Amino acid sequence: MNLSMKWLADYVDVSDINVKDYCDRMTDTGSKVEGYEILGEDIVNVVVAKIEKITPHENSDHLQVCQMNVGKEELTQIVTGAQNVFEGAIVPAALPVAKLPGDVTIKAGKLRGVESNGMLCSIGELGLTEHDMPGANNDGILILGDEYADKLGMDIREALMLEDKVVEFEITSNRPDCLSVVGLARETAVSFDRGWTLKAPVVKGAGDGDKIENHLNVRIDAPDLCYRYMARVVKNVKIEPSPLWLRMRLRAAGVRPINNIVDITNYVMLEYGQPMHAFDYAQLDGSNIIVRRAADGEKFKSLDDIDHTLDNTMLVIADEKKACALAGVMGGANSEITDKTATVVFESACFSGPSVRVTAKKNGMRTESSARFEKGLDPENCYAGLERACELVELLGAGDVVDGIIDVYPTKTAPATLTLDADVINHFLGIHVSEDYMKEILKKLEFTIDGNKITAPTFRADIGCMNDVAEEIARIYGYNKIEASAIRAETTQGGRTPKQQFEVDLSDLLCDIGLDEIQTYSFISPKYYDKIRLPADSSLRKSIVISNPLGEDTSVMRTTALPSMMEVVARNNNMGNENVWLYEVASTYIPNGEGELPTEGKSLVLAAYGDVDFYKMKGVVDEIAEVSGVKLSYTSYSEDSAYHPGRCAKILVGDKELGIIGQIHPLTADNYGMDIPVYAAVIDFDILFAVANRTKHYKALPKYPASTRDFSFVCDEALEVGSIFDAVTKAGGKLVEDVKLFDIYRGAQVGENKKSVSIRVTLRAADRTLTVEETEKASKKILGDLEHKLGITLR
């Protein structure tokens, strides 16, 4: 909202207040100021002048030498190339040294040898447009009317009313009453403790016996969307430019002048905060205005000549055959005010804010009118706005106002009435002011006081409870006056959940090991599944589709986090990083069916290239298991197409599948532009947390020595070493402390499709030193079980 300080002066006197101080105080009391602008300050030493004589330039066939009367005894000579000037013309003249908008400086000089003491100005050079100065020639000098004949030498800023100070306010959505000069005048008066005046508009009317009932009827078919509708008729309309003072006020507010009738509606909207619309009565079919819902598929062309297709959620103002306006948004081209308009219908109404918002958004339209209506306006303001418009019609001589007003008011809302409790408010705000002081503030804000009962004014729909009243008192009293005090309320101590703490601990572990954490988006492209060679019939391809994605690359919610990790790995490789270890605790989303929320899970994803092999990656996973207090086992796996079939394993906790580890398949790596080995592990974080045993038990260091036995076996190539470890552990029972692999041999000596596996078994008892007999007995038991269960024997 741009507020002209000259316009504000009609209601409250702030002439003795510096504009910066004004902005600071208004911000303090809740009307936030974004900034201010001093209009006309970029125009210096430009005056009203009259061309007394014109002679041809002696050295040019297009230049003219003008003798100018600038309000002094001596004439001033100015050379111009404009062809629209003539003797007796009154024009703006920039005299040396002058300044014009755009940081232009005018000095005395010579044009083709002839002295020129300034420049004649066009509207563009003064920063004006054709709308600001109707009838002006864009390509020539601005010719002023005869009414300026007695103002020669006057500063052009004063003559054209260009001087003003404009304050830009950011009005919050709960204060639509401040989207007006009147609303800000009220706030100004209270903020600076000054009186202010709001005179009720006075309309004389034509008084010729004609009544509005002879011209118009109004019916509201959607009272839930239209709370009030008022109308007046103006006949014998004269369409012409608005007077200078009105055009300059609209210009200061950032609104383009058009003609007197349209300008009046815009003027009232800015002054009273009441959007209005004017219909050409001759373009209405029949004498009925009907406020109704649009029909599905109904066509409508707005004033900006754009066609719209409406639906039954939208409210329209219609005649007996067609929609003439989108209620609260924009009028229709079919009832536009033109130079031929003779009779006008002024509309002043109050529409449902949400309805106007939805209509404007669906049609891609946002206007000054819709911006006000969508915040919720006061139906009681309709009358004042309509009367002010008609008052201006009579003031400008724009037509004859037909006697009578149509007022259809089906939906009235009672203002909020509350009990004023000064002690509660003082305690709530932490201040100490009297009840009388509070009442004084509220009266200035136009609250009605009856004992300890207060009633909010109708334009303050944001007042609903005592906290709102306390806010009113606090902002006028002054937030900076409220003394700081210690909080005495009971508080709760925050903290992480066990699952969150588990995630933090794993993250700390991985960082300590040397991995770098990454974060990727949960939204991916469906093409990511192709890059990891996910089978076409895989259930993981069934993803939640985003209804309004930023683009194809973020159109679905991922079901697996491996593609996101591989994208980051590939980016690091492309940037020349030679040794990379990464991890992420990533969210995944598995759909559950139509209309149901997906299952959100978490995966711990590891990936590395460079100084890495399968066993180094397995070592990291084993560290994770150690911190989690779980015992892992691994079994070979060759059915995941993203991984190398001979270098991949499932990670198991008991009989639960925890994840997968292995080398990324060369074809998968090639999809990411990588020709080096990449290793990855994907662990189900939710399962890992569920099985984790983070209780630490003390275990004393062994007091007795251990016995070790080395065994070498010949077995089938397909037999997993892990199976041998499991068999050894079960056979040796509590005496087996550790089993390690120290050699695998393949060659002609062991046969085709065979391998030699060498392991070292550590045996120890916690309460004694093992005898040779006990060691031998345990060794025989181990060998016997290996031969019986796995069919392998010593070499």
Side-chain angles (χ1 to χ4, degrees), residues 153-387:
M154 179 184 288
D155 191 316
I156 198 68
R157 295 176 296 180
E158 180 183 354
L160 297 184
M161 302 181 183
L162 300 178
E163 290 182 296
D164 203 348
K165 296 182 181 70
V166 177
V167 179
E168 181 186 357
F169 286 89
E170 180 189 338
I171 305 300
T172 55
S173 58
N174 67 317
R175 292 300 306 273
D177 58 297
C178 289
L179 287 170
S180 65
V181 176
V182 168
L184 289 173
R186 181 187 297 111
E187 289 293 311
T188 299
V190 179
S191 298
F192 291 92
D193 195 19
R194 302 197 170 189
W196 75 295
T197 304
L198 176 60
K199 296 180 180 179
V202 177
V203 181
K204 297 177 182 178
D208 57 1
D210 194 7
K211 299 290 184 182
I212 193 171
E213 291 80 6
N214 300 332
H215 300 268
L216 195 66
N217 292 303
V218 173
R219 185 177 82 241
I220 298 178
D221 289 347
D224 57 323
L225 301 182
C226 179
Y227 307 140
R228 189 178 192 182
Y229 194 96
M230 301 186 70
R232 291 201 78 162
V233 173
V234 178
K235 61 184 181 181
N236 303 323
V237 170
K238 305 175 188 66
I239 302 296
E240 57 189 10
S242 297
L244 179 66
W245 65 267
L246 194 150
R247 299 198 308 268
M248 290 301 105
R249 285 194 174 182
L250 292 180
R251 176 177 179 267
V255 176
R256 184 182 70 182
I258 298 175
N259 60 50
N260 53 356
I261 298 299
V262 175
D263 291 351
I264 284 172
T265 62
N266 287 331
Y267 190 91
V268 172
M269 177 184 68
L270 294 169
E271 187 176 41
Y272 278 73
Q274 176 60 44
M276 295 187 63
H277 186 64
F279 300 99
D280 186 337
Y281 181 78
Q283 302 303 315
L284 300 178
D285 290 313
S287 59
N288 289 318
I289 283 183
I290 306 164
V291 185
R292 60 171 173 82
R293 284 179 166 84
D296 284 330
E298 185 172 357
K299 303 299 182 182
F300 174 78
K301 177 177 283 191
S302 53
L303 282 171
D304 52 5
D305 286 329
I306 296 177
D307 292 318
H308 304 273
T309 300
L310 310 181
D311 61 50
N312 65 3
T313 65
M314 304 176 188
L315 189 69
V316 297
I317 313 302
D319 58 25
E320 294 176 0
K321 295 183 179 180
K322 63 185 182 298
C324 299
L326 272 179
V329 182
M330 186 179 288
N334 54 22
S335 59
E336 181 180 7
I337 302 298
T338 67
D339 292 341
K340 297 179 180 179
T341 299
T343 303
V344 166
V345 177
F346 277 121
E347 162 196 285
S348 182
C350 186
F351 305 113
S352 164
S355 171
V356 173
R357 170 69 173 171
V358 169
T359 300
K361 196 167 185 180
K362 282 186 176 180
N363 289 281
M365 306 162 71
R366 184 168 174 83
T367 62
E368 288 283 347
S369 175
S370 69
R372 284 166 168 78
F373 273 120
E374 68 187 27
K375 294 174 176 62
L377 297 184
D378 177 18
E380 298 296 324
N381 198 34
C382 294
Y383 176 80
L386 183 59
E387 289 296 272

Side-chain angles (χ1 to χ4, degrees), residues 11 41 95 100 181 207 211 234 240 288 419 424 429 442 458 462 464 518 561 650 729 792:
Y11 299 97
E41 68 175 348
L95 305 179
L100 295 175
V181 176
K211 299 290 184 182
V234 178
E240 57 189 10
N288 289 318
T419 300
V424 170
L429 296 176
L442 295 175
T458 57
D462 59 311
I518 66 168
K650 282 185 177 182
T729 301
I792 59 176

Side-chain angles (χ1 to χ4, degrees), residues 2-23:
N2 291 336
L3 176 66
S4 159
M5 297 300 285
K6 281 188 175 180
W7 202 342
L8 177 67
D10 288 353
Y11 299 97
V12 58
D13 182 15
V14 291
S15 57
D16 60 329
I17 301 174
N18 178 276
V19 65
K20 186 178 184 307
D21 294 336
Y22 175 80
C23 295

Side-chain angles (χ1 to χ4, degrees), residues 552-574:
E552 196 274 341
D553 287 344
T554 55
S555 60
V556 300
M557 300 177 77
R558 65 188 176 194
T559 57
T560 171
L562 182 61
S564 302
M565 173 61 77
M566 287 302 299
E567 290 288 334
V568 179
V569 167
R571 193 176 306 122
N572 276 271
N573 182 58
N574 292 337

Side-chain angles (χ1 to χ4, degrees), residues 425-491:
I425 291 177
N426 279 325
H427 179 74
F428 178 70
L429 296 176
I431 61 177
H432 303 282
V433 299
S434 68
E435 182 177 315
D436 289 341
Y437 178 78
M438 294 182 185
K439 288 181 177 180
E440 182 183 346
I441 289 176
L442 295 175
K443 284 180 181 178
K444 291 177 181 178
L445 292 169
E446 299 191 18
F447 283 69
T448 302
I449 311 292
D450 182 10
N452 65 342
K453 296 292 183 183
I454 58 173
T455 302
T458 57
F459 56 80
R460 292 302 304 274
D462 59 311
I463 303 298
C465 63
M466 190 49 63
N467 288 357
D468 297 325
V469 177
E471 180 185 4
E472 297 301 298
I473 293 169
R475 68 186 183 89
I476 304 302
Y477 171 76
Y479 293 115
N480 57 333
K481 295 181 182 178
I482 299 176
E483 297 180 0
S485 58
I487 296 176
R488 295 188 297 271
E490 294 183 1
T491 60

